[in-house]
């Protein structure tokens, strides 16, 4: 007899409590191996492929694509040990035990309770029942019944189906097996039950559409990355009394220094890496801005290391990957790490650990062709440096009017951690390094 094991949405780490189903990687009736990814989900942090710790035949999936499930909710059920859970080569499926695989802190393990069995008659290879007697007919012969709509809105258990042919027939024709009541032994769903459902569906009138156009516009749910961004920015606005200061800087010498670095034959240095190096040096001089406020303890916590977040726009929305220990990295290391994290962000492969733990954020909104902004602080950090586009402008240089490459820098800071003098000193030091990169030699 087959054991039907239920696999629940695991804890994905970083305090995440729910995930949205993006894409199912298996269908009902498919044979899965231990640790095979079965579904791709989107959390507020990243896209994750969830592996199943059991091997066998998928008997049920819970939730359609786009559905949000809480951690601990059922994902799929797998029939382990049944005759149909045999691979193409005739090899039996894996035993019903945990794989030992770890998914972001979640270790799969053997289930201790809640094992279910499919109490259905299993047919042999020649199509005959082994020894079980034929089912006793009802009082009078009746034609195959039409499918009965389920009373609850959502099923809570596995579908009593043994034959993969029945599953394929239902899947190919869009029949939800949960809505059928089987006429076979112990409620087993037979081919005739699926065919009867198809006949009823073909003769039933099309239901009237229940959707109506909203005269006020289209409603888009705030969920996934967009929902997480909305919640975090709203919290920042509620809790942080922020202020912004800005200054224009002549970036001509910084661009020349970068060009000189990139002609030496070594790996190319990105501009954002140089700006990150400047931020790390400025935070060493003004550590008040590398901190956060512990509201419960009413304390400002200054942090020893700089974990630099940077804003990255992706198809899924705005994300802020974090470069760990930015204060210990040189320009080459920073360039490589920025490139790696940016590529992972665009591909949706960032892990929750790569999206959390930042202490200061660098926001290069100049890539969007704008000069300035008053960004919202990435809660619970204390400050964010914004960098506008670098454009040629008239500028007084060495007493004469000249065309120089000018950039606007803005600093938004938490007024609880410092006053305007500290924020102004930080921003002025950053501007000095942009205008005269040799200033950085003091910190090397």
């Amino acid at each position: 007899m087959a054991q039907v094991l239920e696999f629940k949405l695991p804890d994905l780490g970083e305090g995440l409590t729910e995930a949205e189903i993006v894409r199912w990687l298996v269908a009902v009736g498919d044979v899965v191996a231990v640790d095979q990814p079965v579904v791709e989900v989107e959390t507020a942090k990243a896209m994750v492929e969830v592996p199943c710790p059991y091997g066998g035949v998928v008997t049920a999936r819970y939730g359609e694509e786009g559905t949000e499930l809480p951690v601990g909710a059922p994902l799929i059920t797998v029939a382990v040990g049944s005759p149909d859970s045999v691979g193409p080569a005739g090899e039996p499926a894996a035993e019903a035990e945990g794989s030992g695989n770890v998914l972001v802190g979640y270790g799969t393990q053997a289930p201790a309770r809640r094992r279910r069995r499919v109490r259905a008659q299993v047919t042999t290879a020649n199509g005959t029942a082994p020894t079980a007697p034929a089912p006793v007919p009802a009082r009078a012969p009746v034609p195959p019944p039409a499918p009965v709509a389920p009373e609850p809105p959502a099923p809570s258990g596995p579908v009593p189906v043994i034959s993969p042919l029945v599953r394929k027939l239902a899947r190919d024709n869009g029949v939800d097996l949960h809505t059928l009541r089987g006429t076979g032994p112990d409620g087993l769903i037979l081919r005739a039950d699926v065919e009867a459902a198809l006949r009823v569906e073909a003769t039933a009138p099309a239901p009237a559409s229940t959707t109506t156009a909203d005269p006020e516009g289209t409603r888009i749910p705030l969920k996934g990355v967009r929902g997480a961004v909305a919640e975090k920015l709203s919290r920042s606005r509620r809790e942080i009394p922020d202020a912004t200061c800005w200054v224009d800087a002549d970036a001509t010498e910084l661009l020349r220094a970068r060009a000189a670095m990139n002609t030496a034959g070594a790996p190319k240095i990105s501009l954002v890496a140089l700006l990150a190096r400047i931020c790390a040096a400025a935070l060493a001089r003004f550590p008040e801005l590398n901190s956060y406020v512990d509201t419960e303890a009413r304390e400002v916590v200054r942090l020893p290391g700089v974990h630099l977040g940077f804003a990255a726009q992706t198809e899924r929305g705005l994300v802020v990957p974090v470069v760990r220990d930015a204060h210990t990295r040189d320009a080459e290391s920073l360039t490589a790490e920025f490139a790696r994290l940016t590529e992972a962000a665009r591909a949706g492969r960032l892990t929750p650990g790569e999206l959390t733990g930042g202490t200061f954020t660098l926001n290069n909104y100049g890539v969007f062709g704008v000069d300035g902004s008053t960004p919202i602080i990435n809660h619970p950090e204390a400050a964010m440096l914004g960098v506008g586009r670098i454009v040629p402008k008239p500028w007084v240089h060495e007493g004469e009017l000249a065309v120089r490459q000018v950039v606007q820098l803005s600093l938004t800071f938490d007024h609880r951690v410092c006053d305007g003098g500290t924020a102004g000193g930080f921003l002025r030091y950053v501007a000095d390094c942009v205008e005269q990169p040799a200033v950085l030699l003091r910190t090397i």
Side-chain angles (χ1 to χ4, degrees), residues 22 44 49 77 85 95 107 110 141-142 153 184 208-209 248 273 278 284 316 349 369 433:
V22 175
E49 287 187 352
T77 54
S85 61
E95 295 295 328
V142 294
S209 175
D248 290 342
I278 292 172
R316 298 170 55 237
R349 297 194 308 267
C433 291

Side-chain angles (χ1 to χ4, degrees), residues 334-348:
L334 287 168
T335 297
E337 187 66 358
F338 276 121
R340 183 188 72 82
L341 291 173
T342 300
E343 176 61 27
R346 290 172 178 168

